[in-house]
């Protein structure tokens, strides 16, 4: 069956709730472990059905936010998802109190109980209204971003479609494109400020209702972080500051030298070679053909996976009007298949996005065939990003089929880009700690703080007088800050781990064992917490002092052996 034929039917919440409570009552009273296990299976089927419907809505809404039917269904989903959380929390409560807990733990492991406890500590019926408000606000942000229609080069462009111009070989075009892009944010600045401020206030209110000092602790619980906290993250940011920020500055200087310009401006940052960035040599269909070959050659598991994805057409890759920005992968439990969403725009980002999202998709595909609980389909985000970011590197041997004679440029951009990204990632994280520790800060104070943090972690950044950016407005384009608070450090943690896979695969030439470790990680899904997954993958703990210093020399050596000026 193809994705377009997957049938959506609005779940009748009262029906779901009735059925749920019946099962839950049975679960509570079940005299034996076996009976509880049977009831858990039925509850799990109900969850799968509900999640599949909600996911269908969110996919179809994000693909075309102007579609009125799915827009209304998304509003409905925003209303009932918190109510579903209430049902789920009641079930978790019963599970935690089960007289057969030991038997349940033997079957499912400890992780489901950790997740249940975190759910209990981060949810109560008292905050349903606030959660609904939060959903409305994050949907409003998504719609505002998707509404962008930027007049440029005689065309009307979305935010994704203007990006290629920010990589133009013509410096005046780059600057004009950056100005046009951010003029959309400047024009809607008050609206972005209003949405964000409302989000901060509603999140702070929820945290206080649940008895927390502020939203930070609640956010960590909502992210299901059970084996590290804000202190470890702060120490990790310090490692980035000490070891990666100097390297970041050095790489930006090298970029300026390569381009033959005195001082690199913000509008130059996306432009890496004076004869143009590495570009995929064909369109989306052409890339899909190569993707198919690549995954057929990589492993039998990836071959089976990619064939099913293509047969069922569970990918929507092209940028188009009304489509939400960014890229994501999600999973439809009833169909046991992932879905990939992207905004292709003809740059090398398309290839990275494809391999990245395929990493997520392949992981959920594997886990969907291994794990017993829907809770274990995806791991927590920092672990999930290991799969995606490492897949970008496992794809290297096939990249020449995408980039032809520009392959060296591509690899240089990809690897240096991985390092350049991390200081930006910790900026986003540090900023959010400030915002939620100081919920009363004004929009202007938030922007000033953003600018201060940019100066700390991205000292070479120079906005060249673009007023909106000089005032600290850049972060408004970063959807995670609005829609998934504190989800960002995850990318940087995973990047450090993905680089460990890159070293094993590309520097030490241990492909067999690296891929075996990767496959194990995929299959484990979310059945373990982050640091236990790191161990399972034979990777080093990124929080351990020295973890970053350990990874940088190999990357620097590789980058140093490239005669990048000759590629110009
Ligand atoms: Zn990802």
């Amino acid at each position: 069956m193809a994705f377009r034929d997957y049938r959506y039917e609005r779940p009748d919440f009262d029906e779901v709730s009735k059925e749920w409570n019946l099962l839950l009552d049975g679960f509570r009273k079940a005299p034996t472990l076996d009976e509880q296990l049977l009831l858990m299976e039925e509850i799990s089927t109900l969850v799968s059905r509900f999640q599949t419907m909600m996911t269908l809505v969110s996919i179809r809404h994000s693909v075309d936010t102007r579609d009125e039917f799915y827009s209304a269904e998304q509003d409905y989903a925003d209303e009932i998802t918190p109510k579903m959380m209430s049902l789920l929390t009641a079930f978790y409560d019963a599970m935690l109190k089960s007289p057969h807990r030991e038997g349940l733990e033997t079957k499912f492991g400890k992780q489901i109980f950790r997740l249940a406890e975190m759910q209990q500590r981060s949810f109560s019926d008292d905050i349903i209204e606030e959660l609904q408000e939060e959903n409305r606000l994050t949907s409003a942000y998504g719609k505002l971003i998707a509404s962008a229609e930027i007049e440029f080069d005689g065309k009307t462009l979305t935010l994704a479609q203007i990006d290629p111009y920010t990589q133009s070989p013509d410096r005046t075009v780059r600057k004009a494109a950056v100005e046009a892009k951010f003029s959309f944010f400047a024009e809607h600045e008050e609206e972005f400020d209003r949405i964000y401020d409302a989000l901060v206030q509603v999140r702070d209110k929820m945290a206080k209702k649940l008895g927390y000092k502020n939203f930070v602790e609640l956010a960590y619980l909502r992210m299901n972080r059970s084996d590290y906290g804000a202190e470890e993250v702060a120490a990790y940011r310090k490692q980035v500051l000490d070891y990666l920020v100097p390297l970041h500055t050095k790489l930006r200087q090298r970029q300026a030298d390569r381009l033959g310009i005195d001082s690199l401006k913000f509008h130059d940052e996306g432009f890496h070679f004076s004869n143009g960035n590495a570009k995929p040599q064909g369109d989306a269909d052409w890339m899909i053909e190569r993707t198919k070959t690549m995954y057929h050659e990589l492993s039998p598991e990836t071959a089976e996976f990619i064939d099913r994805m293509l047969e069922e057409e569970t990918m929507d890759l092209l940028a188009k009007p009304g489509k939400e920005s960014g890229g994501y992968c999600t999973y439809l439990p009833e169909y046991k298949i992932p879905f990939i969403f992207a905004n292709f725009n003809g740059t090398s980002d398309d290839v990275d996005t494809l391999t990245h999202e395929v990493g997520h998709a392949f992981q959920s595909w594997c886990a969907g065939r291994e794990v017993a609980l829907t809770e274990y389909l995806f791991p927590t985000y920092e672990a999930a990003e290991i799969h995606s970011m490492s897949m970008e590197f496992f794809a290297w041997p096939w990249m020449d089929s995408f980039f032809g004679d520009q392959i060296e440029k591509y690899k240089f951009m990809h690897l240096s880009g991985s390092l350049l990204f991390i200081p930006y990632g910790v900026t986003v994280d540090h900023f959010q700690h400030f915002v939620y520790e100081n919920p009363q800060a004004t929009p202007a104070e938030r922007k000033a703080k953003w600018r201060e943090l940019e100066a700390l972690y991205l000292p070479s950044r120079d906005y060249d007088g673009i007023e909106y950016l000089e005032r600290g407005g850049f972060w408004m384009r970063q959807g995670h800050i609005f829609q998934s608070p504190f989800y960002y450090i995850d990318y940087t943690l995973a990047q450090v781990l993905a680089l460990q896979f890159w070293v094993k695969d590309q520097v030490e030439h241990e492909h067999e064992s690296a891929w075996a470790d990767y496959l194990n990680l995929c299959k484990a899904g979310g059945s373990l917490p982050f640091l236990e997954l790191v161990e399972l993958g034979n990777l080093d703990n990124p929080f351990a002092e020295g973890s970053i210093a350990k990874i940088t020399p190999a990357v620097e050596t590789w980058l140093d052996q490239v005669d990048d000026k000759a590629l110009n």
Side-chain angles (χ1 to χ4, degrees):
M1 203 197 280
F3 175 76
R4 62 175 169 277
D5 300 322
Y6 292 4
R7 212 173 132 227
Y8 169 70
E9 211 176 331
R10 179 191 273 211
D12 178 338
F13 188 75
D14 293 336
E15 280 296 305
V16 174
S17 172
K18 229 192 272 166
E19 206 179 328
W20 186 279
N21 286 325
L22 219 62
L23 291 170
L24 181 57
D25 195 47
F27 182 86
R28 284 199 184 105
K29 292 176 183 152
T32 65
L33 173 66
D34 284 343
E35 276 178 61
Q36 274 205 329
L37 288 173
L38 278 175
L39 284 157
M40 254 178 104
E41 244 173 69
E42 287 191 55
I43 290 176
S44 188
T45 307
L46 211 59
V47 172
S48 284
R49 173 85 191 148
F50 183 81
Q51 276 184 2
T52 302
M53 291 305 118
M54 293 300 98
T55 306
L56 274 177
V57 168
S58 105
I59 293 169
R60 288 178 177 157
H61 172 64
S62 63
V63 166
D64 186 1
T65 55
R66 301 166 310 179
D67 180 313
E68 282 174 19
F69 176 78
Y70 283 107
S71 185
E73 290 308 294
Q74 182 63 53
D75 291 343
Y76 177 69
D78 286 351
E79 292 298 313
I80 62 168
T81 314
K83 293 190 195 165
M84 194 64 192
M85 270 166 89
S86 171
L87 298 183
L88 198 60
T89 309
F91 166 65
Y92 285 159
D93 184 57
M95 203 181 65
L96 288 165
K97 289 179 185 147
S98 166
H100 314 295
R101 179 163 168 170
E102 216 172 290
L104 294 173
E105 262 190 38
T106 309
K107 176 137 173 84
F108 300 115
K110 285 189 189 333
Q111 178 66 356
I112 185 65
F113 291 94
R114 290 189 197 99
L115 295 172
E117 273 168 25
M118 288 186 282
Q119 174 72 14
Q120 264 197 337
R121 292 172 60 201
S122 60
F123 178 83
S124 116
D125 284 349
D126 295 344
I127 61 165
I128 287 184
E129 266 176 45
E130 285 80 6
L131 286 168
Q132 289 170 334
E133 172 68 2
E134 183 184 21
N135 283 345
R136 277 193 290 274
L137 290 162
T138 54
S139 290
Y141 173 82
K143 272 191 194 173
L144 183 54
I145 289 282
S147 77
E149 290 185 337
I150 301 163
E151 300 301 326
F152 196 80
D153 191 27
K155 299 183 187 107
T156 306
L157 305 172
T158 67
L159 285 168
Q161 288 169 329
I162 196 156
D163 275 343
Y165 294 97
T166 68
Q167 302 176 10
S168 164
D170 184 339
R171 204 177 189 196
T172 56
V173 172
R174 291 202 295 275
K175 183 161 188 191
V178 166
E179 279 172 341
K181 176 174 175 174
F182 284 97
S183 68
F184 168 77
F185 289 91
E187 278 161 27
H188 297 274
E189 186 174 354
E190 276 177 31
E191 213 172 336
F192 282 114
D193 273 332
R194 188 186 54 73
I195 294 173
Y196 193 58
D197 196 58
L199 278 167
V200 173
Q201 300 317 320
V202 80
R203 286 170 181 151
D204 189 59
K205 192 171 161 195
M206 281 191 268
K208 287 181 173 141
K209 271 193 172 179
L210 292 172
Y212 300 105
K213 194 171 104 207
N214 58 43
F215 180 65
V216 179
E217 201 179 343
L218 174 59
Y220 275 60
L221 288 170
R222 295 203 321 181
M223 297 290 287
N224 290 323
R225 292 173 181 169
S226 60
D227 47 6
Y228 64 96
E231 255 172 58
E232 282 89 346
V233 171
Y236 166 81
R237 288 197 305 262
K238 180 76 170 54
Q239 280 199 61
V240 172
L241 187 62
D242 292 343
Y243 295 100
L244 275 181
V245 172
L247 193 53
H248 182 280
T249 306
K250 215 171 105 184
L251 281 168
R252 286 297 186 207
Q253 187 53 51
R254 188 172 171 186
Q255 185 178 358
D257 293 345
R258 188 164 68 239
L259 295 175
I261 48 186
D262 285 344
S263 87
L264 195 85
K265 304 295 181 192
F266 175 65
H267 53 264
D268 300 318
E269 286 188 5
F271 184 64
H272 295 272
F273 294 93
S274 53
N275 57 356
N277 288 352
K279 250 192 206 160
Q281 309 281 297
D283 64 9
D285 288 337
W286 180 94
M287 277 194 272
I288 295 287
E289 269 313 303
R290 270 142 191 85
T291 303
K292 192 174 165 182
T293 310
M294 167 166 72
Y295 288 118
H296 273 245
E297 291 173 4
L298 179 57
S299 76
E301 290 87 353
T302 48
E304 191 195 342
F305 152 82
I306 200 71
D307 286 344
R308 236 332 260 303
M309 293 287 286
L310 292 171
E311 268 163 39
E312 308 226 354
E313 300 172 13
T314 52
M315 295 196 246
D316 196 288
L317 303 175
L318 299 178
K320 50 199 168 194
K323 190 168 174 178
E324 275 193 13
S325 68
Y328 67 71
C329 161
T330 184
Y331 188 81
L332 296 147
E334 277 203 333
Y335 297 93
K336 279 182 174 278
I337 199 159
F339 186 94
I340 292 177
F341 172 101
N343 275 283
F344 277 11
N345 58 16
T347 68
S348 66
D349 290 346
D350 294 354
V351 179
D352 297 338
T353 303
L354 188 62
T355 52
H356 180 102
E357 298 305 339
V358 162
H360 286 304
F362 179 63
Q363 177 271 309
S364 61
W365 164 272
C366 292
R369 278 146 188 80
E370 294 281 333
V371 299
L373 298 169
T374 48
E375 284 88 344
Y376 289 173
L377 284 170
F378 284 102
T380 44
Y381 291 131
E382 47 341 40
E385 297 303 339
I386 307 173
H387 304 108
S388 53
M389 291 174 143
S390 306
M391 184 62 100
E392 296 176 34
F393 289 127
F394 279 119
W396 265 32
W398 288 269
M399 284 297 106
D400 52 352
S401 75
F402 290 79
F403 290 97
D405 60 358
Q406 302 188 21
I407 181 65
E408 288 308 311
K409 281 208 289 194
Y410 168 72
K411 285 183 176 172
F412 186 87
M413 278 171 57
H414 185 218
L415 190 62
S416 59
S418 304
L419 286 189
L420 289 169
F421 166 72
I422 298 175
Y424 171 68
V426 303
T427 310
V428 171
D429 181 65
H430 200 149
F431 176 67
Q432 297 187 85
H433 280 86
F434 166 82
V435 166
Y436 292 101
E437 279 161 18
N438 302 278
Q440 294 315 321
T442 62
E445 284 166 343
R446 287 188 193 122
K447 283 171 218 162
K449 185 67 185 186
W450 173 263
R451 207 65 191 100
E452 179 193 319
L453 292 170
E454 278 183 328
L456 183 66
Y457 293 110
L458 306 163
S460 58
R461 184 161 277 193
D462 178 354
Y463 287 122
D464 200 28
I466 300 179
E467 204 262 335
Y468 170 79
L469 295 171
E470 299 279 5
R471 276 192 293 114
F474 180 83
W475 56 274
M476 290 189 175
R477 62 162 287 284
Q478 193 64 61
H480 303 71
I481 294 179
F482 288 77
Q483 297 177 312
S484 314
F486 290 89
Y487 177 4
Y488 215 73
I489 198 70
D490 306 64
Y491 290 107
T492 78
L493 292 166
Q495 188 66 270
V496 170
L497 297 161
L499 285 167
Q500 293 179 20
F501 270 127
W502 174 81
V503 169
K504 291 178 191 186
D505 199 35
Q506 292 294 318
V507 180
E508 294 165 356
H509 305 292
E510 299 285 348
H511 176 76
E512 296 293 317
S513 68
W515 179 256
D517 287 340
Y518 179 82
L519 201 57
N520 272 339
L521 261 187
C522 289
K523 289 179 179 169
S527 59
L528 296 168
F530 176 52
L531 293 175
E532 287 179 38
L533 285 171
V534 166
E535 219 178 293
L536 179 77
N538 287 314
L539 299 163
D540 296 329
N541 180 345
F543 294 119
E545 186 58 40
S547 68
I548 291 181
K550 199 172 157 187
I551 201 77
T552 44
V555 181
E556 264 196 286
T557 304
W558 193 95
L559 291 171
D560 285 346
Q561 54 86 37
V562 177
D563 184 1
D564 53 324
K565 278 191 180 156
L567 296 172
N568 246 333

